[in-house]
Amino acid sequence: LDGAYDPYGDLDNPLYKEADIWGYVAKVGRQTQPLDLVFEHGYASGDDNVADDLFTGRAIHEDYNVGLLLYEEILSRVTARSWSEKASSLWSKGGVYNSRYIYPHFRLRPLNNWELRGAFLMAWPDKPDGARIRCSTEDVESLDIQCTDPQEDLADHLGWEADLGLHHRFHEHILFAVEGAVARTTNRLPLENIGLNPAGEFWTVQTRFAFEF
């Protein structure tokens, strides 16, 4: 990280960092021919101060998709617009970032080649840094973090979203999907600083065709 060094650390190698990064995803559920029910919980450790000699934050890979809005779009933009291009390796790029989440979801197959999917996502911050995820005075005391500008009266969670999608397969190889989501974020995210809706209300409708070889 350009310029991120600990002046009290290794004088011969001031950019040296010790890594202590954690992440996981756990699922439990039941799968049958007409219905799948899955409860998912995941975690990506955060870093409240990337300038010290301990590197603790890293997003889960962006190809692991959780939901349609909260991680994929909102936090992706928050991290990209608040970090510089030189620190692009710290962007979430749509992956699970500095938080823990729950993600119960289902897949219902009422007819051959038709599938209805639904999900609910809710996330809580891990180690707020004050810039990308705001920190509260309670965070400073309970998490022992080095947060800039701690604030009062912040929500305990980042936000939630609800997803619903319809998927169909034509002639064995052609896939069609239409999906929608609504999300509501809290004052934990500095939306007004990066040009996103400061009310924290978001929605999306997406459709796609694919040919599966």
Side-chain angles (χ1 to χ4, degrees), residues 124-201:
W124 294 262
D126 180 46
K127 289 185 177 180
D129 62 359
R132 281 138 291 277
I133 298 178
R134 292 191 176 110
C135 62
S136 67
T137 53
E138 293 181 358
D139 294 334
V140 176
E141 296 174 0
S142 61
L143 301 177
D144 190 25
I145 58 177
Q146 306 175 51
C147 176
T148 59
D149 190 26
Q151 301 180 28
E152 301 283 351
D153 300 324
L154 293 181
D156 64 341
H157 63 289
L158 298 176
W160 59 266
E161 76 170 74
D163 309 326
L164 188 65
L166 183 64
H167 295 247
H168 183 51
R169 179 184 293 270
F170 298 90
H171 306 295
E172 297 187 8
H173 298 288
I174 302 174
L175 307 178
F176 167 76
V178 57
E179 298 177 319
V182 293
R184 183 67 184 264
T185 61
T186 70
N187 54 6
R188 283 284 187 166
L189 301 180
L191 302 177
E192 65 279 3
N193 297 340
I194 55 176
L196 294 180
N197 180 11
E201 299 175 350

Side-chain angles (χ1 to χ4, degrees), residues 71-173:
Y71 288 121
E72 287 280 348
E73 302 293 342
I74 302 169
L75 272 167
S76 176
R77 284 168 168 75
V78 168
T79 57
R81 295 178 186 177
S82 55
W83 288 115
S84 67
E85 287 286 343
K86 289 184 178 180
S88 61
S89 60
L90 296 178
W91 298 359
S92 76
K93 301 180 177 67
V96 176
Y97 175 84
N98 194 358
S99 61
R100 53 181 52 83
Y101 70 88
I102 57 171
Y103 186 53
H105 52 277
F106 73 86
R107 294 185 180 189
L108 175 65
R109 291 172 284 273
L111 300 170
N112 287 340
N113 299 321
W114 286 93
E115 187 172 87
L116 181 67
R117 301 180 184 180
F120 179 78
L121 170 64
M122 192 165 185
W124 294 262
D126 180 46
K127 289 185 177 180
D129 62 359
R132 281 138 291 277
I133 298 178
R134 292 191 176 110
C135 62
S136 67
T137 53
E138 293 181 358
D139 294 334
V140 176
E141 296 174 0
S142 61
L143 301 177
D144 190 25
I145 58 177
Q146 306 175 51
C147 176
T148 59
D149 190 26
Q151 301 180 28
E152 301 283 351
D153 300 324
L154 293 181
D156 64 341
H157 63 289
L158 298 176
W160 59 266
E161 76 170 74
D163 309 326
L164 188 65
L166 183 64
H167 295 247
H168 183 51
R169 179 184 293 270
F170 298 90
H171 306 295
E172 297 187 8
H173 298 288

